Amino acid sequence: MRRVRYRFKRNPGVWGLAFQDQWRIELDPDLDDKTLIDIATHETVHVVAPDLSEEATDRIGRHVADILWRLGFRREE
């Protein structure tokens, strides 16, 4: 299985970016835990399913983020 790589980086004006050709995402390090899960799942969907519309990507990302949050997933300190 190919893994999506990530790194924390501040990009002015955005909370996350997806680089489909590199299978990599960038995430704002200052996001609260809930928003981080939401943005990370959204950007990951962009990478693994680049043909999906923004609406579908957003819908999938939000549902996955919601279940991960309710399962108790949080960022380690």
Side-chain angles (χ1 to χ4, degrees):
M1 175 181 82
R2 191 169 182 190
R3 296 178 81 180
V4 176
R5 293 178 300 123
Y6 72 92
R7 74 179 194 171
F8 289 105
K9 182 179 177 190
R10 287 179 185 85
N11 291 296
V14 295
W15 289 343
L17 292 172
F19 300 89
Q20 297 162 345
D21 58 329
Q22 300 173 25
W23 270 59
R24 179 174 62 86
I25 63 174
E26 292 180 355
L27 303 163
D28 187 319
D30 295 329
L31 296 174
D32 63 78
D33 287 354
K34 177 70 169 93
T35 305
L36 177 64
I37 291 172
D38 186 42
I39 300 302
T41 56
H42 178 97
E43 299 304 337
T44 299
V45 173
H46 273 307
V47 170
V48 301
D51 295 332
L52 291 179
S53 68
E54 184 67 21
E55 179 183 337
T57 297
D58 193 52
R59 186 175 62 249
I60 292 167
R62 288 185 186 276
H63 282 286
V64 172
D66 177 65
I67 193 67
L68 291 174
W69 184 258
R70 288 187 289 132
L71 285 168
F73 284 81
R74 305 294 187 270
R75 183 178 358 192
E76 291 182 348
E77 292 300 323

